[in-house]
Amino acid sequence: MAQTAGPNVDTGLETGDIIRAFGRTPLQSTSQLQAMVRNLKSGDPVVLQIERKGQMQYLAFEMD
């Protein structure tokens, strides 16, 4: 999923991460995440809530 944001964006995502929320919106499906990412423009801030190895955390980055 790290490549969903674009090839030049360092999202901080790692293999095995589960994206639970995009901003304040809980995610129900991969297609929901894809639709939200399509609406982003260069410079837009993104915050993802992820689950990594059973722990919840946030990743923040800007779209390239």
Side-chain angles (χ1 to χ4, degrees):
M1 281 214 189
Q3 292 182 344
T4 302
N8 298 323
V9 177
D10 181 10
T11 62
L13 287 168
E14 296 179 4
T15 301
D17 287 351
I18 301 169
I19 301 173
R20 296 293 184 186
F22 186 98
R24 295 181 180 194
T25 305
L27 295 172
Q28 304 300 318
S29 67
T30 303
S31 59
Q32 181 187 12
L33 173 62
Q34 290 170 337
M36 295 174 90
V37 169
R38 272 189 231 109
N39 291 322
L40 294 172
K41 296 176 181 74
S42 180
D44 282 352
V46 177
V47 177
L48 301 176
Q49 181 185 39
I50 65 161
E51 182 179 341
R52 179 179 291 163
K53 298 178 183 175
Q55 301 293 315
M56 300 300 278
Q57 58 184 288
Y58 290 92
L59 298 177
F61 56 92
E62 284 185 9
M63 290 302 293
D64 226 3

